[in-house]
Amino acid sequence: MATHASNAVRKPPDEASAPSPHMSSVEDIVQSFEEADAQPVDISGHGVEDWFTVGLFWIMTVLVFLQFFTRYVMNDSLSWTEELATYCLIGVVFIGSSMCMHRCRHIQVDLLYRYLPHGAARVLSTLVDIVRSAFFAYAAWLVWRYIGIVGEEPMTTIEWNKSHVYWFALAGFILMFARSCQVSWENWRRGYSILERPQAFEAIDD
């Protein structure tokens, strides 16, 4: 009877040796990391604004760390670090927006293009390219005027000219305008944009 009972609860060999779903998922994750490490690193597609944004981001990171360390560890906060970190964030946003423009990674709605014929979609996409480029050019002109209005106004915590901060925004809009014109020309030569065929851009390596 005891032998019969033990045989009844014994699992089949295939079921006992089969790996659990959790172990399989862990192995898949490890394998994906190994495959990613084996692929060659190509940085040729990165533009000047990409590297500038990365450098500015790390400067902002150091400033935030100094702010945290001096406030909560040394109990003697460096007030200027918070202001400079905020200004660095402005540069990251505007220069980084040019990077997104170069890679067509800004938020966009392509629902309408799914129901339009090819000709109408091409005309509408071209119109979007023109309006977008015109907007960036106009925004750059507005920022240029605003820099003149700010003049020699100093920053709050340090005696630096505040207008220097808005040069980041001006450079960002100028770069976005240039990248927008570049993308518009590429869309025209290609015959479609990411709005018309988003699936064609999914394979682009970031």
Side-chain angles (χ1 to χ4, degrees):
M1 294 294 294
T3 304
H4 178 72
S6 62
N7 292 335
V9 298
R10 185 179 300 169
K11 295 182 179 180
D14 295 340
E15 183 179 352
S17 60
S20 64
H22 176 71
M23 291 300 296
S24 299
S25 62
V26 172
E27 292 175 356
D28 292 340
I29 294 175
V30 173
Q31 184 179 0
S32 65
F33 278 109
E34 292 177 351
E35 293 176 354
D37 293 338
Q39 295 179 357
V41 178
D42 184 15
I43 60 175
S44 60
H46 295 284
V48 177
E49 62 268 35
D50 299 37
W51 299 111
F52 185 83
T53 303
V54 171
L56 201 59
F57 175 82
W58 278 108
I59 293 175
M60 181 184 68
T61 303
V62 172
L63 291 172
V64 172
F65 174 78
L66 284 176
Q67 172 70 11
F68 175 84
F69 183 80
T70 55
R71 174 179 293 182
Y72 296 104
V73 177
M74 302 183 64
N75 200 24
D76 186 14
S77 175
L78 296 175
S79 58
W80 54 269
T81 56
E82 182 176 0
E83 184 177 13
L84 289 184
T86 303
Y87 294 150
C88 286
L89 180 59
I90 294 175
V92 168
V93 169
F94 283 98
I95 306 299
S97 295
S98 171
M99 177 177 61
C100 294
M101 183 67 254
H102 183 206
R103 300 177 180 275
C104 300
R105 290 297 181 263
H106 280 291
I107 296 176
Q108 48 206 354
V109 180
D110 56 6
L111 179 63
L112 181 61
Y113 293 87
R114 301 180 184 180
Y115 304 99
L116 290 177
H118 174 71
R122 186 85 282 273
V123 171
L124 182 59
S125 178
T126 303
L127 180 62
V128 169
D129 289 340
I130 295 174
V131 172
R132 181 189 60 228
S133 301
F135 169 77
F136 289 145
Y138 180 65
W141 178 72
L142 289 179
V143 175
W144 172 260
R145 290 191 59 188
Y146 186 75
I147 291 175
I149 295 174
V150 172
E152 301 295 330
E153 181 181 350
M155 296 181 182
T156 304
T157 56
I158 52 180
E159 292 296 327
W160 287 2
N161 194 338
K162 186 180 289 187
S163 64
H164 295 335
V165 178
Y166 301 104
W167 285 98
F168 284 135
L170 178 62
F173 277 120
I174 292 176
L175 287 172
M176 280 187 277
F177 170 73
R179 291 301 188 184
S180 179
C181 293
Q182 178 184 357
V183 170
S184 300
W185 175 249
E186 292 174 353
N187 292 339
W188 180 262
R189 293 182 57 187
R190 191 188 302 114
Y192 61 89
S193 69
I194 191 173
L195 294 172
E196 301 166 79
R197 300 183 187 177
Q199 67 278 2
F201 291 79
E202 293 178 357
I204 298 178
D205 187 11
D206 292 337

